[in-house]
């Protein structure tokens, strides 16, 4: 038997042990609880962080070379797209012109810091792997209706049987003339049926003071395009049927370009603006017509957003005597650089297909005059109502029905470059067309031979 003191001592020791064990258990429970609390908190934080990253919109740049009201319409579409969803944010980056866009894109590719979407087309770069093929995106896009696109426009973006570029809008060069000046000269729009009758009308509407022309009867737009259109309308070809011979020094080309040289430099019934920054020459030409310093000009269907049709009217390009007109119609294409990340590529595809959906391609045509890329746009209620009140919007579409197909330069732009140089010599330097075009043909043929393997 334990005495009272011993029992008290034993009970005290047992209590101490119990307290110690309880403290250890609480400590372990505390550690377990702490671990249990910390780990779920960290996991939740990581999960929330991953979810936040997944929900964060993908930001992409879209490069385009459109100024004035065209640029404003692009920005309006970008704003609408960004507001319509929360997965992608598009930032528009304006370039000086189409050539500058390609130059800057080339530098961006070299530095591996590319935009996700670009309003440009370069088939040679697509073959070299600088652009991403879009077929996989199209294949899983239930809203992509291939048959709804204007066939020639969509086909223009195919390179080696793969869809590398998507059409954003179609274009062709048409005539714009001051209605009042035509009426004052006692003329009707029938004068625009052939180049010969247009030149006669231009001579009647030209105003000279001594040797100085104060009002030009017509203004061709600087560059090769509308002189190329005129040559094609005369029966000329750029390449032979087998695609191996450059034919820009044929009789049809020389006679056409020589006629323009005479109208500009010898008869001085046609004027031309050249040079300047970006589209400066283009807007100077438009200004001359709108301010009465010229009776009309040859310009893009996309100029309609910058024109006052209370003053001017639109007309299809002319042919030549006994020759129906055959100017080119082409689509302005956009592509996705291959160096963009997968998320950026997907975001860029979503943006480009938004730009060209039925509602937006119809709206773009209404606001700019460019040609819709989808057939269904013609049935869009807003388009139908607008075209009824503004018949000029139908002119580019009418011209596109019988237009020549767009020329795709398989030399990576070398044939186009040769034609640009030749056009400057004829339009600006007053060099006879035969000399300018024969030199251009030799340069272009040498470049084509490298592609076709001809020695």
């Amino acid at each position: 038997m334990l005495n009272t003191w011993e029992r008290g001592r034993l009970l005290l020791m047992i209590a101490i042990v119990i307290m110690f064990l309880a403290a250890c258990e609480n400590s372990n429970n505390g550690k377990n609880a702490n671990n249990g609390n910390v780990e779920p908190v960290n996991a939740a934080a990581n999960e929330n962080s991953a979810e936040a990253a997944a929900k964060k919109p993908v930001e992409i740049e879209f490069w385009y070379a459109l100024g004035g009201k065209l640029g404003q319409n692009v920005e309006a579409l970008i704003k609408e797209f960004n507001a319509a969803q929360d997965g992608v944010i598009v930032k528009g980056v304006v370039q000086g012109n189409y050539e500058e866009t390609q130059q800057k894109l080339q530098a961006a590719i070299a530095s591996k810091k590319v935009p996700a979407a670009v309003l440009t087309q370069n088939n040679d770069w697509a073959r070299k792997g600088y652009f991403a093929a879009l077929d996989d995106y199209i294949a899983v896009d239930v809203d992509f209706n291939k048959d709804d696109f204007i066939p020639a426009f969509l086909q223009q973006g195919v390179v080696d049987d793969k869809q590398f570029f998507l059409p954003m809008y179609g274009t062709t060069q048409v005539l714009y003339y001051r209605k009042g000046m035509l009426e004052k000269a006692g003329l009707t729009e029938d004068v625009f049926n052939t180049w010969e009758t247009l030149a006669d009308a231009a001579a009647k509407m030209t105003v000279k003071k001594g040797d100085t022309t104060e009002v030009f009867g017509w203004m061709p737009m600087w560059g090769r395009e509308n002189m190329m259109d005129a040559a094609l309308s005369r029966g000329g070809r750029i390449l032979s049927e087998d695609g191996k011979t450059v034919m820009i020094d044929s009789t049809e080309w020389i006679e056409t370009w020589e006629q323009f040289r005479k109208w500009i430099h010898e008869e001085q019934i046609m004027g031309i603006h050249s040079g300047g920054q970006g589209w400066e020459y283009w807007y100077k030409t438009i200004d001359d017509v709108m301010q009465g310093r010229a009776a009309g000009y040859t310009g893009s269907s996309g100029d309609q957003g910058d024109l006052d049709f209370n003053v001017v009217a639109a007309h299809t390009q002319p042919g030549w005597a006994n020759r129906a007109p055959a100017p080119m119609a082409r689509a302005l294409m956009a592509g996705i650089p291959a160096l963009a990340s997968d998320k950026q590529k997907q975001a860029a595809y979503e943006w480009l297909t938004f730009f060209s959906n039925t509602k937006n391609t119809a709206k773009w045509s209404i606001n700019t005059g460019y040609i819709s890329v989808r057939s269904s746009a013609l049935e869009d209620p807003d388009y139908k109502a607008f075209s009824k009140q503004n018949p000029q919007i139908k002119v580019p579409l009418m011209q596109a029905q019988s237009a020549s197909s767009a020329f795709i330069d398989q030399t990576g732009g070398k044939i186009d470059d040769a034609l640009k140089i030749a056009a400057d010599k004829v339009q600006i330097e007053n060099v006879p067309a035969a000399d300018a075009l024969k030199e251009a043909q030799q340069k272009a043929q040498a470049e084509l031979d490298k592609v076709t393997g001809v020695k």
Side-chain angles (χ1 to χ4, degrees):
M1 287 292 288
L2 296 174
N3 58 32
T4 302
W5 181 84
E6 287 174 331
R7 282 201 306 271
R9 185 181 177 187
L10 179 61
L11 289 171
L12 178 62
M13 290 177 66
I14 291 171
I16 292 171
V17 170
I18 290 172
M19 290 174 64
F20 177 77
L21 291 174
C24 289
E25 185 177 353
N26 287 337
S27 176
N28 287 333
N29 286 340
K31 287 180 181 178
N32 291 337
N34 188 46
N35 288 341
N37 287 333
V38 170
E39 288 176 3
V41 169
N42 287 340
N46 290 336
E47 185 178 340
N48 290 339
S49 177
E51 187 177 350
K55 287 185 176 179
K56 183 179 180 181
V58 179
E59 295 188 10
I60 62 171
E61 287 187 354
F62 173 54
W63 288 10
Y64 64 94
L66 295 170
K69 290 185 178 179
L70 296 176
Q72 293 172 16
N73 279 291
V74 174
E75 288 301 319
L77 271 179
I78 290 174
K79 186 176 181 180
E80 184 179 335
F81 175 75
N82 289 343
Q85 44 74 51
D86 56 10
V88 181
I89 295 177
V90 176
K91 179 184 177 184
V93 180
V94 183
Q95 307 298 330
N97 54 38
Y98 296 133
E99 292 178 5
E100 183 179 310
T101 302
Q102 292 219 10
Q103 291 168 1
K104 289 191 175 180
L105 180 59
Q106 187 173 28
I109 291 171
S111 67
K112 301 187 186 305
K113 295 180 180 179
V114 297
V118 189
L119 185 66
T120 193
Q121 178 176 8
N122 189 313
N123 291 9
D124 185 50
W125 288 6
R127 291 190 181 95
K128 290 177 179 177
Y130 298 158
F131 282 95
L134 307 178
D135 302 81
D136 290 343
Y137 298 99
I138 292 171
V140 296
D141 184 356
V142 295
D143 295 322
F144 191 92
N145 184 357
K146 182 178 180 180
D147 294 335
D148 189 32
F149 280 90
I150 304 297
F153 289 166
L154 191 63
Q155 182 62 32
Q156 187 182 317
V158 175
V159 182
D160 297 337
D161 298 323
K162 292 183 179 180
Q163 192 79 45
F164 277 93
F165 305 95
L166 291 178
M168 297 294 100
Y169 49 92
T171 186
T172 188
Q173 292 211 32
V174 299
L175 307 183
Y176 299 107
Y177 65 93
R178 290 184 65 95
K179 294 180 283 189
M181 292 181 72
L182 198 71
E183 293 171 3
K184 185 178 179 180
L187 304 170
T188 68
E189 65 174 12
D190 290 343
V191 300
F192 301 123
N193 291 339
T194 70
W195 280 108
E196 291 94 341
T197 53
L198 187 153
D200 290 341
K204 292 179 181 178
M205 292 185 288
T206 296
V207 178
K208 293 184 178 181
K209 187 175 182 178
D211 294 331
T212 303
T213 300
E214 294 187 335
V215 177
F216 286 101
W218 201 258
M219 299 193 82
M221 191 60 74
W222 177 44
R224 68 202 182 286
E225 284 90 351
N226 69 70
M227 290 204 304
M228 288 174 66
D229 283 348
L232 295 174
S233 293
R234 202 167 200 152
R237 298 178 59 96
I238 299 172
L239 300 179
S240 58
E241 288 190 15
D242 62 7
K244 294 183 178 180
T245 304
V246 180
M247 302 183 68
I248 59 176
D249 63 340
S250 68
T251 300
E252 294 87 354
W253 280 80
I254 291 173
E255 288 182 353
T256 300
W257 283 35
E258 180 65 10
Q259 190 65 70
F260 274 87
R261 185 194 68 80
K262 290 179 178 179
W263 288 333
I264 295 168
H265 293 285
E266 294 181 9
E267 299 176 24
Q268 296 182 9
I269 59 173
M270 295 187 182
I272 196 162
H273 285 291
S274 62
Q277 297 295 316
W279 298 106
E280 183 179 344
Y281 71 94
W282 200 285
Y283 288 109
K284 282 185 175 179
T285 305
I286 292 176
D287 285 346
D288 276 357
V289 174
M290 294 311 301
Q291 295 174 22
R293 294 188 293 269
Y297 78 105
T298 312
S300 168
S301 55
D303 292 351
Q304 292 196 13
D306 289 304
L307 298 173
D308 180 355
F309 283 94
N310 293 312
V311 177
V312 300
H315 195 280
T316 54
Q317 273 201 56
W320 296 85
N322 303 317
R323 277 281 186 180
M328 285 188 289
R330 64 187 179 94
L332 275 294
M333 313 292 286
I336 301 174
L339 287 174
S341 71
D342 289 343
K343 286 186 177 180
Q344 289 176 326
K345 288 174 185 173
Q346 178 63 47
Y349 176 81
E350 291 174 16
W351 156 241
L352 296 181
T353 50
F354 174 86
F355 192 115
S356 59
N357 68 29
T358 298
K359 174 177 174 288
N360 288 331
T361 194
K363 183 193 297 183
W364 181 265
S365 183
I366 290 169
N367 291 338
T368 68
Y370 280 115
I371 306 170
S372 300
V373 299
R374 291 178 180 267
S375 299
S376 57
L378 300 177
E379 298 305 316
D380 178 80
D382 291 339
Y383 184 92
K384 291 176 75 172
F386 183 85
S387 62
K388 187 175 182 179
Q389 297 297 322
N390 300 273
Q392 71 274 1
I393 197 175
K394 295 181 180 179
V395 171
L397 187 58
M398 289 168 54
Q399 182 164 293
Q401 304 305 316
S402 59
S404 300
S405 299
F407 171 60
I408 305 299
D409 189 349
Q410 59 183 306
T411 67
K414 299 297 193 306
I415 296 174
D416 270 334
D417 287 344
L419 281 166
K420 288 177 191 175
I421 294 170
D424 274 356
K425 289 185 175 182
V426 171
Q427 292 177 334
I428 310 304
E429 301 174 26
N430 196 19
V431 173
D435 296 342
L437 285 169
K438 287 183 182 301
E439 181 182 354
Q441 192 278 337
Q442 292 172 2
K443 291 180 180 178
Q445 188 66 57
E447 295 297 335
L448 182 62
D449 290 346
K450 293 177 185 177
V451 175
T452 59
V454 177
K455 296 183 178 179

